[in-house]
Amino acid sequence: MESPDIILTGAMDFQKATAQHIFSLLTDPENPHRRVLLADEVGLGKTIVARSVVSLMREYQREVMHDDFYRVVYVCSNINIARQNIEKLGINSALDFTESRLSMQHFAAERKLQEVKSRDEKEGRMPEVIIPLTPSTSFDFRSSTGISNERALICVLLEGLDEFSDKTLARYLQRFFRCNVSPQRWPGILKWYRDQVTALGDEYRQRMLTALRTLGGGELSQLKTFAETGQIPEWADQSRIISGLRRVFAEISLDQLEPDLVIMDEFQRFKNLLMGDNEQSLLAKKFFSDPGTKVLLLSATPYKPYTTLDELTESGTDEHFSDFRQLMGFLQEGSDAADSEAFDDSWKRYNIALSHISEDTFDVVKVAKRGAEEALYGMMCRTERFNTGGVNTVRVPLEVSTDDIKSYFEARTLLDEINEVAARREFRTMPMDYVKSSPYLMSFMDRYKLKGFVRDNLQKVGKRIWDLLYLPLKKIDNYREIPAGNARLQYLCDELFDKGYNAERLLWVPASRPYYKTHGLYAKNAGFSKTLVFSSWEMVPRMVSCMVSYNAERLVMKGLWAQGKRPGNYYKAEEKKSKTRYGANRLNKFKPGENPLLYVSGWLASLYNPEDTLGMDIKDIRAAITPLVKARVNEIARTYGIPFDKRTAMSDLTLLMRLLDGEQLDILPERISEDAVENLVSAAIGSPAICAYRMSGDYLLSYHIADFFVKMFSRPDPAMIVDLTCAKGADNYIEAILEYCVEGNLQAVLDEFNHLLEGRWDTILEQGPMEVGTLTVEMQDADKRIVSRGMRTYLAIPFTNAKMEDTAVAHTSVLRNAFNSPFRPFVLTTTSVGQEGLDFHWYARKLLHWNLPSNPVDMEQREGRVNRYKCLSIRQRLGEHYKDLPTWDDIFEKAREEYKRGDSDIVPYWCLPPDFPDDHSKLVERIILEYPLSQDHGRYERLKKVLSLYRLTMGQPRQEELLEMLASSGLSEEHVKELLINLSPYYRDKAGE
């Protein structure tokens, strides 16, 4: 095998140590472990460790096992996470996500196998493939008839059986499996799969038919009986047969996948697959029963971390202890019986010793703890941020306003009135937490049964104006201020718009380390962060997105009105009437090659080097560049006899740029604008095309990045913001854009984003700037009628779609990519859908808990979304400290050299030491919104306590009693630290040294 250091290039030191430990457990020639758990703390890069294990196992399979095809299966909770992480795992071929159904994996894997073998063998590589599976689709048989593609593939393969070779029976199969697909579409789907199966060859077809006869006898016999009658059976019988055949084909897939490594990401979300006793778990267990298959489990919170005495009394079960023992049993399954017995003995001795701890028995407990730790280390590893600095808890005591009370009163009154006239009293009271979470409940409570109950019965009660149950249509039509009606919403809007930040005027997050000093909008908003909001209720993302985006747009409109400008009112459809969207024609009027924002000028790019002017005032930088530009422009004017004029077309500015680059032009600019020098200086510093070229040195990439900005500035919202912010205004839009980009330190913004992207701009450029979304909500008009209207979402967006259709997955990928860019949106509100496995940390260090989660697992998962590798908090703090270093690579390397000290690479990439010399104002913010006299305060204290004691009470029964005993034992803080279980390969190796 190659050197592990070569194989693990790109991983941090603690990640390499963990990967090598896992690899040694999985491949130990004397006692190989089939299953290993990686339980690193949330945000420490378990996927990167998994990638390193994938690389080590690839070499092992090739060099030691002499394998000719490397297969990895990646199981995670949903396709969004799979899309995000598949590429990170380092396998160059992946199965299509649309074929992730387990019943189709035999087909998808065979197609990919033939494709990669043909390609990789030509290139001298071992063929490899990664197969994504998700329990919500791959293992789910609750929808008995599945999807049309599944049924089409089953039908095509059944046509090859002798039992259905007769044409009449074959036609029956086609009718039987069509179900609800239109007769027009169905033949095309069948033809596609017939062609594909034929292309795979007879060997595949015969292998499938043999397996089908072996496993599907019962279903085939029933189907044949119905086919001979020519009648489609009742729906119950039809769906039962189809469901049975789907399970048969799933089993065939499991038999034929033969993975070398299975990675189960955040597996605690689908533990029933591993440890349950249902149909899905039977399939999964068959999958993992092959002794040659290695399983790597990934989870920061693999079992319930803490069980209180109240919970134990209520449920009668110590869930933590039960979860821990069940997990250990799964990890040991298939291992040597003596090893399992040794683990049980060592853990039992530790339990007993710990339950009798005192100063006198401390040494005995420590010895028992070491034995238990060693036994556990043979099955799992966990690295944590031993350096705990980096998170600032902001507890916000909310004041209950009159509108809060009125909102509840209106909701309760409406429900009472409806209950008096409704046929059934389905809802007797309005849940208080609904009202605490959202104003204008009836506008935003989509898909809630309570909302349906109100809608069905609203006409039975008298009409009246509801101020805080429905949004007021007339006010929205006229961009009037809408009362927040909710203390939580008021806090968020205050933070974004009224307390130091002007989020409504920003088009990107200010650079973490600006190259020069400015004195306008972006300088005043330094330290700004996107905000990730978590709520327990699905209505909150809709409400926050609509209300925050509306407020941002209203403030911009208000500012333009104050300047005497009157953009078309979107909500009154004035844009449609005039057939002109605000700012739409300003950048569309250019012919190809005329737009100066798209022109990459090498000469102008050379005039400004950020490294030479770090920390200078922008006025001084302009003053240094202006004479150089002025001299060249005057020289061109003299050489070509081009006169100066007060105002010229912007296309002439592009021609002038080309002349500055030494081009020989057939068409010269007719005139040179008197402000051309000023505009060229702005372009040299802030033109998107020129900044991108300075960043990349690639003309084509620079053009595409500049085109991204042209598309963005062609939209109404950015056009209004530029008009409002820049003095030049709409009459000089190109100049205003350049002014805005210079003020926004665009070069620093692009360089920082490029550092995070590692130069891979494909996805962001293909996706383009975030489109303005629209959510349909119900409002109340002046005549007390309820009408549906669209509300725009741009500055804030919802992330709630848990459905796994292709369009939904693509949309959520777009949202995730947009939030992980410096550009809008600035607020993303989600539910549990977004709290697991997804990265939102590049430009967000503020995590707002709209509602506290019910358990510490969810709390840790939520905060792991923003507290991650090179997160915004780290970059803002380092950028402020190392103002004199030119690049982000230099900054991180210098910080590593100065502050890593005896720690791992967690410093400085994940956190900084407590003595880091800054004011700690840019830490990750954990924002807790607390209503007075609510349960929020006590719930947060409990969550915090449980998280802090995660390792000390791990695997122990009756944890609360244990903690009370430890508190009264008189042990010092140092003694308690010695009892913490250490499962980090890096820190264990370091301690051994």
Side-chain angles (χ1 to χ4, degrees):
M1 290 179 57
E2 287 189 50
S3 163
D5 287 337
I6 296 174
I7 297 172
L8 302 184
T9 300
M12 296 297 172
D13 53 12
F14 70 93
Q15 294 169 336
K16 290 179 182 179
T18 300
Q20 288 175 333
H21 175 65
I22 293 171
F23 175 70
S24 66
L25 290 175
L26 293 174
T27 59
D28 183 346
E30 296 183 1
N31 185 22
H33 291 67
R34 289 177 50 206
R35 300 168 181 177
V36 179
L37 168 64
L38 171 59
D40 282 4
E41 186 181 355
V42 173
L44 287 187
K46 288 185 289 296
T47 306
I48 302 303
V49 176
R51 181 183 69 190
S52 300
V53 174
V54 165
S55 298
L56 290 167
M57 290 298 296
R58 177 197 290 117
E59 289 301 301
Y60 175 80
Q61 291 297 129
R62 182 170 64 87
E63 297 291 337
V64 179
M65 303 303 292
H66 306 294
D67 203 347
D68 61 351
F69 187 47
Y70 183 46
R71 309 180 202 211
V72 176
V73 169
Y74 177 71
V75 186
C76 64
S77 58
N78 63 64
I79 295 180
N80 287 315
I81 296 175
R83 277 186 181 271
Q84 174 185 273
N85 291 340
I86 283 291
E87 185 178 344
K88 294 180 183 178
L89 291 170
I91 298 288
N92 58 39
S93 297
L95 259 62
D96 194 326
F97 291 97
T98 62
E99 295 174 337
S100 64
R101 298 274 175 161
L102 193 56
S103 62
M104 303 180 72
Q105 287 299 309
H106 55 84
F107 167 75
E110 184 69 24
R111 291 176 67 212
K112 183 60 68 173
L113 169 62
Q114 294 189 15
E115 173 194 324
V116 299
K117 272 193 170 183
S118 172
R119 182 196 65 206
D120 291 350
E121 287 176 351
K122 286 180 183 177
E123 297 176 3
R125 297 182 304 194
M126 178 173 67
E128 60 184 18
V129 68
I130 188 165
I131 302 163
L133 298 177
T134 59
S136 60
T137 53
S138 305
F139 295 91
D140 190 359
F141 294 96
R142 285 174 295 181
S143 173
S144 55
T145 58
I147 60 176
S148 60
N149 287 356
E150 281 182 281
R151 297 195 302 275
L153 179 58
I154 292 171
C155 180
V156 166
L157 288 169
L158 289 182
E159 287 173 350
L161 290 170
D162 294 338
E163 296 95 309
F164 299 101
S165 59
D166 181 81
K167 289 184 178 180
T168 302
L169 295 180
R171 284 195 293 271
Y172 177 86
L173 288 181
Q174 295 160 23
R175 287 170 46 223
F176 184 89
F177 287 101
R178 180 170 66 83
C179 295
N180 58 351
V181 180
S182 70
Q184 293 76 27
R185 283 185 60 233
W186 186 236
I189 300 173
L190 288 171
K191 182 180 183 306
W192 190 89
Y193 277 99
R194 282 196 196 98
D195 293 344
Q196 294 300 315
V197 169
T198 300
L200 292 179
D202 287 339
E203 183 182 344
Y204 164 74
R205 183 192 291 270
Q206 290 305 317
R207 187 168 72 247
M208 289 301 301
L209 295 180
T210 299
L212 189 54
R213 291 189 186 97
T214 302
L215 296 173
E219 286 79 7
L220 292 176
S221 175
Q222 295 173 46
L223 182 58
K224 180 72 181 300
T225 300
F226 281 117
E228 288 171 346
T229 69
Q231 298 296 315
I232 302 296
E234 294 291 330
W235 176 250
D237 290 327
Q238 183 184 13
S239 60
R240 175 173 48 77
I241 292 172
I242 294 175
S243 178
L245 287 169
R246 289 175 62 219
R247 289 186 179 88
V248 167
F249 276 91
E251 290 189 59
I252 293 172
S253 292
L254 291 175
D255 281 340
Q256 296 186 6
L257 283 181
E258 299 178 344
D260 301 296
L261 178 66
V262 177
I263 299 172
M264 305 200 71
D265 200 351
E266 299 296 352
F267 80 97
Q268 79 280 357
R269 294 294 178 184
F270 42 89
K271 279 193 291 189
N272 61 315
L273 286 183
L274 308 180
M275 304 168 193
D277 194 20
N278 48 47
E279 290 174 330
Q280 292 100 314
S281 69
L282 293 176
L283 288 175
K285 285 176 180 178
K286 181 177 180 180
F287 189 20
F288 303 129
S289 62
D290 183 352
T293 300
K294 309 294 186 182
V295 181
L296 174 60
L297 305 175
L298 310 180
S299 175
T301 48
Y303 38 78
K304 180 179 171 63
Y306 190 81
T307 302
T308 66
L309 290 177
D310 288 341
E311 290 172 331
L312 197 156
T313 302
E314 184 177 339
S315 67
T317 303
D318 190 334
E319 291 184 60
H320 165 80
F321 190 63
S322 173
D323 274 9
F324 179 82
R325 298 301 301 176
Q326 195 176 32
L327 175 60
M328 293 303 108
F330 175 76
L331 292 175
Q332 294 174 67
E333 192 173 307
S335 299
D336 187 275
D339 291 339
S340 298
E341 191 174 318
F343 172 81
D344 292 340
D345 288 344
S346 63
W347 203 258
K348 188 181 296 183
R349 284 196 298 272
Y350 175 49
N351 286 346
I352 294 170
L354 195 58
S355 65
H356 295 87
I357 192 169
S358 67
E359 286 192 11
D360 294 336
T361 62
F362 178 76
D363 289 339
V364 175
V365 176
K366 198 161 82 168
V367 170
K369 172 253 179 182
R370 285 176 184 163
E373 185 178 81
E374 287 299 322
L376 197 57
Y377 191 57
M379 293 182 288
M380 67 177 286
C381 43
R382 176 177 172 87
T383 299
E384 297 177 336
R385 294 175 177 88
F386 287 97
N387 187 321
T388 56
V391 178
N392 178 33
T393 300
V394 180
R395 302 181 71 167
V396 182
L398 300 174
E399 294 185 8
V400 178
S401 67
T402 304
D403 282 345
D404 278 298
I405 297 171
K406 187 176 180 181
S407 183
Y408 177 75
F409 176 77
E410 285 190 359
R412 181 63 184 268
T413 300
L414 175 61
L415 197 58
D416 288 346
E417 290 183 6
I418 287 177
N419 276 327
E420 288 181 8
V421 298
R424 291 185 303 168
R425 297 185 64 178
E426 295 183 37
F427 297 92
R428 296 180 179 274
T429 186
M430 177 63 65
M432 177 68 76
D433 211 34
Y434 284 6
V435 182
K436 287 166 60 179
S437 296
S438 174
Y440 310 105
L441 279 170
M442 294 301 115
S443 289
F444 297 111
M445 287 182 70
D446 250 25
R447 296 188 295 187
Y448 280 71
K449 290 183 179 179
L450 174 58
K451 171 68 178 287
F453 175 66
V454 171
R455 185 188 289 118
D456 293 343
N457 294 280
L458 189 60
Q459 299 302 320
K460 299 176 183 178
V461 300
K463 288 185 178 180
R464 69 165 75 184
I465 290 293
W466 301 99
D467 294 325
L468 290 162
L469 274 182
Y470 290 95
L471 285 169
L473 177 62
K474 185 175 181 180
K475 285 187 176 181
I476 286 176
D477 269 348
N478 292 282
Y479 281 110
R480 299 306 179 199
E481 184 174 359
I482 307 295
N486 178 273
R488 288 169 174 158
L489 177 62
Q490 188 66 60
Y491 167 82
L492 179 59
C493 289
D494 287 346
E495 287 296 303
L496 290 169
F497 309 126
D498 294 324
K499 292 188 176 178
Y501 293 120
N502 304 105
E504 75 277 10
R505 297 193 185 197
L506 299 176
L507 290 176
W508 51 76
V509 176
S512 300
R513 197 279 305 273
Y515 288 145
Y516 47 77
K517 296 175 184 175
T518 58
H519 308 281
L521 173 67
Y522 279 85
K524 293 175 183 176
N525 284 272
F528 177 78
S529 162
K530 295 189 179 188
T531 303
L532 180 60
V533 181
F534 276 102
S535 171
S536 305
W537 306 110
E538 196 175 272
M539 63 187 156
V540 173
R542 288 171 49 82
M543 181 275 295
V544 169
S545 301
C546 290
M547 297 299 289
V548 168
S549 296
Y550 172 79
N551 273 301
E553 192 169 346
R554 180 186 66 80
L555 289 170
V556 172
M557 294 290 280
K558 182 179 176 183
L560 288 171
W561 292 343
Q563 293 180 1
K565 297 166 186 170
R566 190 77 188 181
N569 188 319
Y570 166 80
Y571 289 106
K572 281 189 172 181
E574 290 175 359
E575 290 178 351
K576 294 180 181 178
K577 291 175 185 175
S578 66
K579 297 181 181 179
T580 302
R581 299 172 69 223
Y582 188 84
N585 293 330
R586 298 182 189 174
L587 298 181
N588 294 341
K589 60 186 177 183
F590 290 103
K591 296 177 182 177
E594 287 187 350
N595 189 339
L597 294 178
L598 291 172
Y599 181 71
V600 182
S601 170
W603 186 77
L604 288 177
S606 70
L607 295 182
Y608 168 58
N609 183 355
E611 295 186 23
D612 298 336
T613 58
L614 285 176
M616 285 179 60
D617 194 289
I618 186 60
K619 296 178 181 177
D620 296 330
I621 295 174
R622 282 185 174 277
I625 296 175
T626 299
L628 302 175
V629 176
K630 189 173 185 179
R632 284 291 298 273
V633 169
N634 288 338
E635 181 185 344
I636 287 172
R638 286 193 303 270
T639 301
Y640 296 100
I642 306 172
F644 284 89
D645 201 347
K646 210 168 193 181
R647 179 82 180 147
T648 66
M650 277 292 107
S651 55
D652 284 340
L653 186 65
T654 307
L655 292 173
L656 185 55
M657 287 180 172
R658 294 173 67 182
L659 290 172
L660 289 171
D661 282 348
E663 286 192 43
Q664 298 297 316
L665 302 180
D666 295 330
I667 300 175
L668 295 171
E670 294 182 5
R671 289 173 175 77
I672 297 176
S673 173
E674 290 180 351
D675 59 2
V677 171
E678 180 185 350
N679 290 331
L680 290 170
V681 170
S682 295
I685 299 169
S687 160
I690 293 173
C691 288
Y693 177 69
R694 245 189 321 260
M695 173 197 78
S696 66
D698 184 325
Y699 277 98
L700 185 58
L701 175 62
S702 302
Y703 175 85
H704 287 305
I705 292 174
D707 187 54
F708 174 96
F709 282 89
V710 168
K711 290 174 182 174
M712 181 173 72
F713 285 117
S714 296
R715 294 177 177 173
D717 296 80
M720 288 190 287
I721 288 167
V722 171
D723 286 354
L724 178 62
T725 305
C726 300
K728 292 181 180 291
D731 294 335
N732 303 279
Y733 193 47
I734 293 289
E735 296 98 315
I737 289 173
L738 292 173
E739 179 187 332
Y740 190 93
C741 291
V742 171
E743 165 59 30
N745 248 285
L746 184 60
Q747 184 70 65
V749 172
L750 287 182
D751 288 349
E752 183 176 358
F753 192 32
N754 187 60
H755 175 80
L756 296 170
L757 290 172
E758 296 178 343
R760 297 192 292 266
W761 284 82
D762 293 355
T763 300
I764 194 74
L765 294 179
E766 181 181 338
Q767 179 174 308
M770 182 74 189
E771 296 280 356
V772 176
T774 303
L775 291 175
T776 302
V777 299
E778 290 185 350
M779 304 182 190
Q780 191 171 34
D781 66 13
D783 296 324
K784 304 179 184 178
R785 293 175 302 183
I786 306 303
V787 296
S788 293
R789 289 287 296 273
M791 289 197 74
R792 286 150 47 110
T793 59
Y794 180 36
L795 189 125
I797 57 170
F799 188 90
T800 58
N801 199 331
K803 296 180 180 179
M804 288 299 107
E805 288 87 353
D806 294 343
T807 52
V809 172
H811 180 61
T812 51
S813 295
V814 167
L815 298 185
R816 188 182 69 245
N817 292 333
F819 193 72
N820 272 333
S821 79
F823 312 107
R824 294 187 170 195
F826 292 157
V827 177
L828 185 144
T829 309
T830 185
T831 57
S832 59
V833 172
Q835 77 183 26
E836 179 184 285
L838 296 173
D839 300 345
F840 293 116
H841 63 296
W842 277 5
Y843 288 93
R845 61 175 177 81
K846 294 190 176 186
L847 184 77
L848 196 164
H849 294 281
W850 205 262
N851 312 97
L852 283 172
S854 59
N855 63 77
V857 172
D858 288 345
M859 186 82 163
E860 186 170 322
Q861 287 288 351
R862 285 182 179 186
E863 298 187 352
R865 300 311 104 223
V866 297
N867 193 3
R868 304 177 78 84
Y869 176 70
K870 289 186 179 179
C871 64
L872 180 65
S873 171
I874 293 292
R875 299 199 314 278
Q876 286 184 339
R877 296 176 71 192
L878 292 179
E880 179 69 22
H881 184 60
Y882 294 109
K883 294 180 179 179
D884 57 338
L885 293 179
T887 70
W888 282 103
D889 285 337
D890 294 333
I891 289 172
F892 275 104
E893 188 55 40
K894 186 67 173 176
R896 187 175 185 273
E897 177 187 318
E898 291 188 350
Y899 292 103
K900 181 182 177 182
R901 300 166 186 160
D903 217 315
S904 69
D905 285 337
I906 287 177
V907 177
Y909 299 99
W910 278 264
C911 56
L912 298 171
D915 62 344
F916 186 77
D918 68 344
D919 61 5
H920 291 191
S921 63
K922 297 180 178 65
L923 300 175
V924 170
E925 290 186 20
R926 172 196 297 142
I927 304 171
I928 312 294
L929 304 180
E930 299 177 333
Y931 273 103
L933 305 178
S934 73
Q935 297 178 348
D936 297 337
H937 178 80
R939 181 181 294 175
Y940 174 67
E941 290 297 329
R942 177 180 171 272
L943 289 170
K944 186 172 66 171
K945 175 184 176 184
V946 172
L947 285 173
S948 67
L949 298 168
Y950 187 83
R951 285 186 297 137
L952 184 60
T953 61
M954 181 174 64
Q956 304 303 315
R958 306 186 72 84
Q959 293 161 287
E960 195 167 320
E961 290 181 351
L962 173 61
L963 290 174
E964 290 175 1
M965 186 188 65
L966 287 170
S968 61
S969 66
L971 293 176
S972 67
E973 185 176 337
E974 290 303 315
H975 276 160
V976 171
K977 285 182 179 179
E978 288 186 65
L979 293 180
L980 295 177
I981 298 287
N982 178 11
L983 300 175
S984 168
Y986 177 88
Y987 288 104
R988 287 171 63 91
D989 291 347
K990 195 170 186 62
E993 293 173 6

